[in-house]
Amino acid sequence: LPAGLSQWFPALEVLDVSGTGLAQMGAELLSLPCLHTLLAKNNRLGGPGSLPKGLGQAPLARSLRVLNLSGNRFAEVPPALLQLRGLRSLSLGGNRLHSIPPDIQELRSLEFLYLGGNFITSIPPELAKLPSLKYLVLCDNKIQSIPPQLSQLHSLRSLSLHNNLLTYLPREILNLVHLEELSLRGNPLVVRFVRDLTYNPPSLQELAGRTVKTRNVPYAPSDLPENLVRYLSLASNCPNPKCGGVYFDSCVRQIKFVDFCGKYRLPLMHYLCSPECSSPFSSASQSSTSQSESDSEDEASVAAHRMQKVLLG
């Protein structure tokens, strides 16, 4: 960046240096107190010293609202960016990212996050701690699963996951009450592939814990060791409404295809407490013909009318 930039344009609010072959942004950037939009797409940023030192403590850290660094060479999200607490839009698409740092949760004002076109393989649960996030773009990566914690993104309206390696969605996706668009094309999740899911019998501790929970056996914290009290608090309810059971560590994994928008059937991962919660006419590993599939369709019907677009093709 040219020296004296802040002296020439002390009230600069928008700076676009995209497509200029830029490999480094200098310290002049730090003294632009009014800058709220910085566009630096399609450059050569990403090496050591690409961003000026002290970025997180500069006036820019408070004023910047939109930052677009797509089409560069970043192999990781620069830690300095995670100090820009006023950011509402962050774009790092088309870089060389392999992961999303858990500290992404520090960007509490973020409403738009674009990380498409990278090499990301997993999503950290901490991403769900962005209370204002409305648009999340993770397309064209190598993501194999979605953490159920994403259901905590209550402001989310659009979720782009196309061209990844997803084979199922967590059933908690139904809790995204404001979600209007879900893009899933280019994933293998529409193939009925799950035939070998296994069931590990519960331990004696879990069997005892299930009995305590299902029969409402009264107990006080003073009656049991602290670790057992904590264990009992981790019980999960079986999603089958006809069961009423609980599970702790041992459960039956099952893919159930539910109807969205009357047009698409999406596979949602369920965790049942026992094989008996699946169809008596098929094994727990056969997902697409289970009796509880109709239950999941009922469960999804409440959410289906909210989903305006489900893009599979």
Side-chain angles (χ1 to χ4, degrees), residues 24-100:
Q24 183 178 3
M25 289 191 285
E28 286 295 320
L29 190 68
L30 303 180
S31 51
L32 295 171
C34 300
L35 192 69
H36 60 70
T37 299
L38 175 58
L39 310 177
K41 302 178 292 181
N42 304 323
N43 284 300
R44 295 185 291 119
L45 299 169
S50 290
L51 302 178
K53 293 182 178 180
L55 180 62
Q57 290 73 43
L60 183 67
R62 295 186 293 273
S63 65
L64 201 61
R65 297 291 180 265
V66 177
L67 177 60
N68 193 327
L69 296 173
S70 292
N72 280 283
R73 303 176 180 180
F74 290 100
E76 61 180 17
V77 177
L81 298 188
L82 304 177
Q83 300 179 39
L84 304 178
R85 305 297 169 81
L87 272 186
R88 295 177 184 171
S89 175
L90 175 61
S91 299
L92 280 164
N95 277 275
R96 303 171 181 177
L97 305 178
H98 285 79
S99 63
I100 304 172

Side-chain angles (χ1 to χ4, degrees), residues 199 201-219 224-225 227-229 231-235 245-250 273:
Y199 173 63
S203 64
L204 291 177
Q205 176 176 280
E206 177 156 352
L207 289 173
R210 292 186 183 199
T211 299
V212 170
K213 286 294 183 179
T214 56
R215 298 187 179 182
N216 294 317
V217 177
Y219 66 91
L224 300 171
N227 65 315
L228 291 181
V229 174
Y231 179 79
L232 288 171
S233 69
L234 298 177
V246 299
Y247 64 90
F248 294 87
D249 302 311
S250 300
C273 68

Side-chain angles (χ1 to χ4, degrees), residues 35-225:
L35 192 69
H36 60 70
T37 299
L38 175 58
L39 310 177
K41 302 178 292 181
N42 304 323
N43 284 300
R44 295 185 291 119
L45 299 169
S50 290
L51 302 178
K53 293 182 178 180
L55 180 62
Q57 290 73 43
L60 183 67
R62 295 186 293 273
S63 65
L64 201 61
R65 297 291 180 265
V66 177
L67 177 60
N68 193 327
L69 296 173
S70 292
N72 280 283
R73 303 176 180 180
F74 290 100
E76 61 180 17
V77 177
L81 298 188
L82 304 177
Q83 300 179 39
L84 304 178
R85 305 297 169 81
L87 272 186
R88 295 177 184 171
S89 175
L90 175 61
S91 299
L92 280 164
N95 277 275
R96 303 171 181 177
L97 305 178
H98 285 79
S99 63
I100 304 172
D103 286 344
I104 194 76
Q105 64 182 310
E106 301 298 331
L107 301 180
R108 305 280 294 177
S109 299
L110 208 60
E111 298 179 6
F112 178 89
L113 179 59
Y114 190 104
L115 297 174
N118 283 285
F119 303 95
I120 297 169
T121 57
S122 62
I123 303 173
E126 289 80 3
L127 188 63
K129 298 181 180 180
L130 298 177
S132 303
L133 195 64
K134 297 179 181 178
Y135 303 93
L136 177 58
V137 182
L138 295 168
C139 60
D140 299 291
N141 278 287
K142 299 181 181 297
I143 298 169
Q144 299 184 38
S145 64
I146 304 299
Q149 288 86 349
L150 285 197
S151 63
Q152 300 168 20
L153 292 173
H154 299 304
S155 299
L156 199 64
R157 296 180 182 176
S158 178
L159 177 58
S160 296
L161 295 166
H162 52 272
N163 299 331
N164 276 285
L165 302 175
L166 297 172
T167 52
Y168 67 88
L169 298 176
R171 63 186 294 270
E172 288 82 358
I173 203 82
L174 300 175
N175 296 330
L176 294 173
V177 296
H178 295 297
L179 195 65
E180 298 174 354
E181 180 174 296
L182 176 62
S183 179
L184 296 168
R185 65 183 184 274
N187 282 281
L189 84 175
V190 293
V191 180
R192 300 192 177 196
F193 57 93
V194 183
R195 301 297 181 193
D196 58 349
L197 297 181
T198 58
Y199 173 63
N200 296 317
S203 64
L204 291 177
Q205 176 176 280
E206 177 156 352
L207 289 173
R210 292 186 183 199
T211 299
V212 170
K213 286 294 183 179
T214 56
R215 298 187 179 182
N216 294 317
V217 177
Y219 66 91
S222 57
D223 298 333
L224 300 171

Side-chain angles (χ1 to χ4, degrees), residues 255-292:
I255 298 288
K256 293 193 287 186
F257 289 80
V258 300
D259 190 13
F260 274 81
C261 307
K263 185 175 181 181
Y264 300 114
R265 295 178 66 78
L266 301 182
L268 301 183
M269 178 67 86
H270 283 232
Y271 297 91
L272 303 171
C273 68
S274 71
E276 287 72 25
C277 284
S278 59
S279 170
F281 305 107
S282 63
S283 70
S285 65
Q286 292 178 325
S287 61
S288 62
T289 59
S290 70
Q291 177 182 342
S292 55

